[in-house]
Amino acid sequence: MKPVASMSAHLFLRLCGIALLLTLSYFGGQGVARISDESAALLPVSGAASTSWGLGFGEPGTPPAGTVSANTLKKYNAYYIEETAEKKLYLTFDCGFENGNTPAILDALKKHDAPATFFVVGNYLDTSPDLVKRMLAEGHTVGNHTYHHPNMSKISTEADFAKELESLEALYQEVTGEPISKYYRPPQGIYSEKNLQMAKDLGYHTFFWSLAYVDWKQDDQPTHEQAFDKLLTRIHPGAVVLLHNTSKTNGEILDELLTKWEEMGYTFHPLSELCGA
């Protein structure tokens, strides 16, 4: 039988060793967590895992950092910005439904001779074919926002993914008599690496954005001042601007907004210049 003092010393040493291990494990884990947190926005989503498109803004007038880099996206024929020092803008509108604001938006674009791309869903083609035809007649591009506007990252098979895009293609051809431009925007900006590859395999270019603001809440529309505060201070060379056609504020301010951007030295360009197609 060991003396009590020896047992206490032995126990003390064991406890010290356990405490040291726990301390190292804790700080090691914290270090890993910090690295993961800081790197998360810079790493591409892998495989079928989904992520939401996001932006990090710096000084006013400077390009934001996207969820993944422009170079990473390019291998999938995907874009969110043009890396340029020229004051060029690419105007895009997401069209989920029509509530009376699109005519004013088209009037403003026509006044400023500003080309835009309208990403439409099946419902919009069903309910507003004349507006879609007007978009084309006035020199704009219409892109594919899917037929049903689902979370596309939850669609795992190529056949089901293709069905969402091809169903809209067929309806667009029926309405306009022309094939749709192979421009795709993921609903809600939710995507996966697999999605991007499937879109590319179908011949599409995918477009995210480098400037947007909360303009889609019908019961909580931003004031004109709030809209200008975001859209004027965050504009930058090579911006892909996302606005929603359902926004009453957008319909009311677009003419003035385009004027202000022109006064800042910006010019408006079609997405074909960005992707070369």
PDB file of all heavy atoms in Angstrom, residues 119-141:
ATOM      1  N   PHE A 119     -33.999  39.221 -65.537  1.00  0.00           N
ATOM      2  CA  PHE A 119     -34.053  37.789 -65.252  1.00  0.00           C
ATOM      3  C   PHE A 119     -35.478  37.441 -64.826  1.00  0.00           C
ATOM      4  O   PHE A 119     -35.961  37.902 -63.785  1.00  0.00           O
ATOM      5  CB  PHE A 119     -33.052  37.433 -64.155  1.00  0.00           C
ATOM      6  CG  PHE A 119     -31.614  37.512 -64.606  1.00  0.00           C
ATOM      7  CD1 PHE A 119     -30.869  38.665 -64.408  1.00  0.00           C
ATOM      8  CD2 PHE A 119     -31.022  36.429 -65.249  1.00  0.00           C
ATOM      9  CE1 PHE A 119     -29.548  38.741 -64.836  1.00  0.00           C
ATOM     10  CE2 PHE A 119     -29.704  36.492 -65.683  1.00  0.00           C
ATOM     11  CZ  PHE A 119     -28.967  37.653 -65.473  1.00  0.00           C
ATOM     12  N   VAL A 120     -36.153  36.631 -65.650  1.00  0.00           N
ATOM     13  CA  VAL A 120     -37.578  36.368 -65.432  1.00  0.00           C
ATOM     14  C   VAL A 120     -37.828  34.922 -65.025  1.00  0.00           C
ATOM     15  O   VAL A 120     -37.029  34.024 -65.301  1.00  0.00           O
ATOM     16  CB  VAL A 120     -38.405  36.696 -66.696  1.00  0.00           C
ATOM     17  CG1 VAL A 120     -38.197  38.149 -67.112  1.00  0.00           C
ATOM     18  CG2 VAL A 120     -38.050  35.757 -67.849  1.00  0.00           C
ATOM     19  N   VAL A 121     -38.957  34.720 -64.366  1.00  0.00           N
ATOM     20  CA  VAL A 121     -39.417  33.375 -63.994  1.00  0.00           C
ATOM     21  C   VAL A 121     -40.646  33.037 -64.836  1.00  0.00           C
ATOM     22  O   VAL A 121     -41.175  33.883 -65.562  1.00  0.00           O
ATOM     23  CB  VAL A 121     -39.752  33.298 -62.493  1.00  0.00           C
ATOM     24  CG1 VAL A 121     -38.507  33.561 -61.639  1.00  0.00           C
ATOM     25  CG2 VAL A 121     -40.866  34.269 -62.118  1.00  0.00           C
ATOM     26  N   GLY A 122     -41.127  31.802 -64.697  1.00  0.00           N
ATOM     27  CA  GLY A 122     -42.263  31.357 -65.497  1.00  0.00           C
ATOM     28  C   GLY A 122     -43.500  32.195 -65.289  1.00  0.00           C
ATOM     29  O   GLY A 122     -44.209  32.533 -66.249  1.00  0.00           O
ATOM     30  N   ASN A 123     -43.796  32.549 -64.031  1.00  0.00           N
ATOM     31  CA  ASN A 123     -44.981  33.352 -63.728  1.00  0.00           C
ATOM     32  C   ASN A 123     -44.956  34.679 -64.471  1.00  0.00           C
ATOM     33  O   ASN A 123     -45.990  35.147 -64.962  1.00  0.00           O
ATOM     34  CB  ASN A 123     -45.045  33.595 -62.222  1.00  0.00           C
ATOM     35  CG  ASN A 123     -46.114  34.597 -61.840  1.00  0.00           C
ATOM     36  OD1 ASN A 123     -47.295  34.320 -61.899  1.00  0.00           O
ATOM     37  ND2 ASN A 123     -45.684  35.794 -61.440  1.00  0.00           N
ATOM     38  N   TYR A 124     -43.775  35.284 -64.591  1.00  0.00           N
ATOM     39  CA  TYR A 124     -43.695  36.588 -65.249  1.00  0.00           C
ATOM     40  C   TYR A 124     -43.999  36.471 -66.733  1.00  0.00           C
ATOM     41  O   TYR A 124     -44.693  37.313 -67.304  1.00  0.00           O
ATOM     42  CB  TYR A 124     -42.315  37.214 -65.036  1.00  0.00           C
ATOM     43  CG  TYR A 124     -42.326  38.697 -65.309  1.00  0.00           C
ATOM     44  CD1 TYR A 124     -42.718  39.598 -64.320  1.00  0.00           C
ATOM     45  CD2 TYR A 124     -41.992  39.205 -66.559  1.00  0.00           C
ATOM     46  CE1 TYR A 124     -42.769  40.961 -64.575  1.00  0.00           C
ATOM     47  CE2 TYR A 124     -42.035  40.566 -66.817  1.00  0.00           C
ATOM     48  CZ  TYR A 124     -42.434  41.432 -65.815  1.00  0.00           C
ATOM     49  OH  TYR A 124     -42.502  42.778 -66.078  1.00  0.00           O
ATOM     50  N   LEU A 125     -43.510  35.421 -67.350  1.00  0.00           N
ATOM     51  CA  LEU A 125     -43.812  35.213 -68.770  1.00  0.00           C
ATOM     52  C   LEU A 125     -45.287  34.936 -68.990  1.00  0.00           C
ATOM     53  O   LEU A 125     -45.862  35.359 -69.996  1.00  0.00           O
ATOM     54  CB  LEU A 125     -42.973  34.050 -69.304  1.00  0.00           C
ATOM     55  CG  LEU A 125     -41.507  34.358 -69.598  1.00  0.00           C
ATOM     56  CD1 LEU A 125     -40.724  33.062 -69.788  1.00  0.00           C
ATOM     57  CD2 LEU A 125     -41.375  35.236 -70.831  1.00  0.00           C
ATOM     58  N   ASP A 126     -45.903  34.226 -68.048  1.00  0.00           N
ATOM     59  CA  ASP A 126     -47.329  33.913 -68.166  1.00  0.00           C
ATOM     60  C   ASP A 126     -48.201  35.152 -68.048  1.00  0.00           C
ATOM     61  O   ASP A 126     -49.166  35.330 -68.796  1.00  0.00           O
ATOM     62  CB  ASP A 126     -47.736  32.913 -67.066  1.00  0.00           C
ATOM     63  CG  ASP A 126     -47.401  31.476 -67.440  1.00  0.00           C
ATOM     64  OD1 ASP A 126     -47.383  31.151 -68.637  1.00  0.00           O
ATOM     65  OD2 ASP A 126     -47.154  30.675 -66.516  1.00  0.00           O
ATOM     66  N   THR A 127     -47.865  36.019 -67.102  1.00  0.00           N
ATOM     67  CA  THR A 127     -48.748  37.145 -66.781  1.00  0.00           C
ATOM     68  C   THR A 127     -48.401  38.438 -67.512  1.00  0.00           C
ATOM     69  O   THR A 127     -49.266  39.307 -67.656  1.00  0.00           O
ATOM     70  CB  THR A 127     -48.725  37.435 -65.270  1.00  0.00           C
ATOM     71  OG1 THR A 127     -47.396  37.815 -64.880  1.00  0.00           O
ATOM     72  CG2 THR A 127     -49.144  36.210 -64.474  1.00  0.00           C
ATOM     73  N   SER A 128     -47.131  38.568 -67.960  1.00  0.00           N
ATOM     74  CA  SER A 128     -46.700  39.853 -68.518  1.00  0.00           C
ATOM     75  C   SER A 128     -45.952  39.706 -69.845  1.00  0.00           C
ATOM     76  O   SER A 128     -44.875  40.293 -70.020  1.00  0.00           O
ATOM     77  CB  SER A 128     -45.804  40.569 -67.494  1.00  0.00           C
ATOM     78  OG  SER A 128     -46.417  40.620 -66.235  1.00  0.00           O
ATOM     79  N   PRO A 129     -46.518  38.971 -70.791  1.00  0.00           N
ATOM     80  CA  PRO A 129     -45.818  38.761 -72.056  1.00  0.00           C
ATOM     81  C   PRO A 129     -45.561  40.056 -72.822  1.00  0.00           C
ATOM     82  O   PRO A 129     -44.529  40.193 -73.481  1.00  0.00           O
ATOM     83  CB  PRO A 129     -46.750  37.822 -72.838  1.00  0.00           C
ATOM     84  CG  PRO A 129     -48.105  38.043 -72.233  1.00  0.00           C
ATOM     85  CD  PRO A 129     -47.846  38.302 -70.787  1.00  0.00           C
ATOM     86  N   ASP A 130     -46.467  41.022 -72.729  1.00  0.00           N
ATOM     87  CA  ASP A 130     -46.284  42.263 -73.470  1.00  0.00           C
ATOM     88  C   ASP A 130     -45.087  43.058 -72.945  1.00  0.00           C
ATOM     89  O   ASP A 130     -44.368  43.701 -73.722  1.00  0.00           O
ATOM     90  CB  ASP A 130     -47.546  43.118 -73.402  1.00  0.00           C
ATOM     91  CG  ASP A 130     -48.697  42.523 -74.210  1.00  0.00           C
ATOM     92  OD1 ASP A 130     -48.409  41.668 -75.089  1.00  0.00           O
ATOM     93  OD2 ASP A 130     -49.853  42.890 -73.964  1.00  0.00           O
ATOM     94  N   LEU A 131     -44.879  43.012 -71.642  1.00  0.00           N
ATOM     95  CA  LEU A 131     -43.723  43.713 -71.075  1.00  0.00           C
ATOM     96  C   LEU A 131     -42.417  43.030 -71.470  1.00  0.00           C
ATOM     97  O   LEU A 131     -41.413  43.701 -71.724  1.00  0.00           O
ATOM     98  CB  LEU A 131     -43.846  43.795 -69.548  1.00  0.00           C
ATOM     99  CG  LEU A 131     -44.826  44.835 -69.015  1.00  0.00           C
ATOM    100  CD1 LEU A 131     -44.984  44.708 -67.500  1.00  0.00           C
ATOM    101  CD2 LEU A 131     -44.386  46.247 -69.383  1.00  0.00           C
ATOM    102  N   VAL A 132     -42.435  41.723 -71.530  1.00  0.00           N
ATOM    103  CA  VAL A 132     -41.244  40.989 -71.979  1.00  0.00           C
ATOM    104  C   VAL A 132     -40.933  41.354 -73.426  1.00  0.00           C
ATOM    105  O   VAL A 132     -39.767  41.591 -73.791  1.00  0.00           O
ATOM    106  CB  VAL A 132     -41.438  39.469 -71.824  1.00  0.00           C
ATOM    107  CG1 VAL A 132     -40.253  38.711 -72.425  1.00  0.00           C
ATOM    108  CG2 VAL A 132     -41.590  39.101 -70.347  1.00  0.00           C
ATOM    109  N   LYS A 133     -41.958  41.432 -74.246  1.00  0.00           N
ATOM    110  CA  LYS A 133     -41.760  41.815 -75.651  1.00  0.00           C
ATOM    111  C   LYS A 133     -41.245  43.254 -75.749  1.00  0.00           C
ATOM    112  O   LYS A 133     -40.418  43.567 -76.604  1.00  0.00           O
ATOM    113  CB  LYS A 133     -43.074  41.660 -76.420  1.00  0.00           C
ATOM    114  CG  LYS A 133     -43.506  40.210 -76.594  1.00  0.00           C
ATOM    115  CD  LYS A 133     -44.879  40.124 -77.247  1.00  0.00           C
ATOM    116  CE  LYS A 133     -45.350  38.686 -77.354  1.00  0.00           C
ATOM    117  NZ  LYS A 133     -46.720  38.591 -77.914  1.00  0.00           N
ATOM    118  N   ARG A 134     -41.728  44.111 -74.858  1.00  0.00           N
ATOM    119  CA  ARG A 134     -41.243  45.490 -74.858  1.00  0.00           C
ATOM    120  C   ARG A 134     -39.751  45.529 -74.482  1.00  0.00           C
ATOM    121  O   ARG A 134     -38.986  46.303 -75.066  1.00  0.00           O
ATOM    122  CB  ARG A 134     -42.058  46.348 -73.890  1.00  0.00           C
ATOM    123  CG  ARG A 134     -41.568  47.798 -73.871  1.00  0.00           C
ATOM    124  CD  ARG A 134     -42.310  48.699 -72.892  1.00  0.00           C
ATOM    125  NE  ARG A 134     -41.608  49.970 -72.767  1.00  0.00           N
ATOM    126  CZ  ARG A 134     -41.916  50.930 -71.910  1.00  0.00           C
ATOM    127  NH1 ARG A 134     -42.975  50.783 -71.101  1.00  0.00           N
ATOM    128  NH2 ARG A 134     -41.203  52.048 -71.848  1.00  0.00           N
ATOM    129  N   MET A 135     -39.352  44.726 -73.504  1.00  0.00           N
ATOM    130  CA  MET A 135     -37.937  44.653 -73.121  1.00  0.00           C
ATOM    131  C   MET A 135     -37.074  44.360 -74.337  1.00  0.00           C
ATOM    132  O   MET A 135     -36.060  45.020 -74.587  1.00  0.00           O
ATOM    133  CB  MET A 135     -37.733  43.569 -72.059  1.00  0.00           C
ATOM    134  CG  MET A 135     -38.365  43.845 -70.721  1.00  0.00           C
ATOM    135  SD  MET A 135     -38.334  42.359 -69.663  1.00  0.00           S
ATOM    136  CE  MET A 135     -39.390  42.886 -68.305  1.00  0.00           C
ATOM    137  N   LEU A 136     -37.481  43.362 -75.095  1.00  0.00           N
ATOM    138  CA  LEU A 136     -36.708  42.973 -76.279  1.00  0.00           C
ATOM    139  C   LEU A 136     -36.742  44.062 -77.339  1.00  0.00           C
ATOM    140  O   LEU A 136     -35.710  44.391 -77.939  1.00  0.00           O
ATOM    141  CB  LEU A 136     -37.267  41.670 -76.851  1.00  0.00           C
ATOM    142  CG  LEU A 136     -37.099  40.414 -75.991  1.00  0.00           C
ATOM    143  CD1 LEU A 136     -37.761  39.232 -76.665  1.00  0.00           C
ATOM    144  CD2 LEU A 136     -35.631  40.130 -75.738  1.00  0.00           C
ATOM    145  N   ALA A 137     -37.920  44.646 -77.574  1.00  0.00           N
ATOM    146  CA  ALA A 137     -38.055  45.671 -78.614  1.00  0.00           C
ATOM    147  C   ALA A 137     -37.195  46.894 -78.316  1.00  0.00           C
ATOM    148  O   ALA A 137     -36.741  47.582 -79.238  1.00  0.00           O
ATOM    149  CB  ALA A 137     -39.521  46.078 -78.757  1.00  0.00           C
ATOM    150  N   GLU A 138     -36.947  47.156 -77.040  1.00  0.00           N
ATOM    151  CA  GLU A 138     -36.163  48.336 -76.651  1.00  0.00           C
ATOM    152  C   GLU A 138     -34.688  48.005 -76.411  1.00  0.00           C
ATOM    153  O   GLU A 138     -33.955  48.817 -75.836  1.00  0.00           O
ATOM    154  CB  GLU A 138     -36.811  49.000 -75.439  1.00  0.00           C
ATOM    155  CG  GLU A 138     -38.200  49.553 -75.782  1.00  0.00           C
ATOM    156  CD  GLU A 138     -38.900  50.263 -74.638  1.00  0.00           C
ATOM    157  OE1 GLU A 138     -38.324  50.330 -73.524  1.00  0.00           O
ATOM    158  OE2 GLU A 138     -40.023  50.767 -74.860  1.00  0.00           O
ATOM    159  N   GLY A 139     -34.278  46.819 -76.863  1.00  0.00           N
ATOM    160  CA  GLY A 139     -32.857  46.487 -76.860  1.00  0.00           C
ATOM    161  C   GLY A 139     -32.307  45.850 -75.609  1.00  0.00           C
ATOM    162  O   GLY A 139     -31.082  45.735 -75.460  1.00  0.00           O
ATOM    163  N   HIS A 140     -33.183  45.418 -74.712  1.00  0.00           N
ATOM    164  CA  HIS A 140     -32.708  44.783 -73.490  1.00  0.00           C
ATOM    165  C   HIS A 140     -32.559  43.273 -73.683  1.00  0.00           C
ATOM    166  O   HIS A 140     -32.997  42.703 -74.688  1.00  0.00           O
ATOM    167  CB  HIS A 140     -33.673  45.080 -72.340  1.00  0.00           C
ATOM    168  CG  HIS A 140     -33.867  46.541 -72.095  1.00  0.00           C
ATOM    169  ND1 HIS A 140     -32.838  47.371 -71.725  1.00  0.00           N
ATOM    170  CD2 HIS A 140     -34.973  47.336 -72.212  1.00  0.00           C
ATOM    171  CE1 HIS A 140     -33.285  48.602 -71.600  1.00  0.00           C
ATOM    172  NE2 HIS A 140     -34.581  48.612 -71.901  1.00  0.00           N
ATOM    173  N   THR A 141     -31.952  42.633 -72.712  1.00  0.00           N
ATOM    174  CA  THR A 141     -31.752  41.185 -72.729  1.00  0.00           C
ATOM    175  C   THR A 141     -32.646  40.560 -71.672  1.00  0.00           C
ATOM    176  O   THR A 141     -32.863  41.150 -70.605  1.00  0.00           O
ATOM    177  CB  THR A 141     -30.277  40.848 -72.415  1.00  0.00           C
ATOM    178  OG1 THR A 141     -29.445  41.488 -73.375  1.00  0.00           O
ATOM    179  CG2 THR A 141     -30.030  39.349 -72.465  1.00  0.00           C
TER     180      THR A 141
END
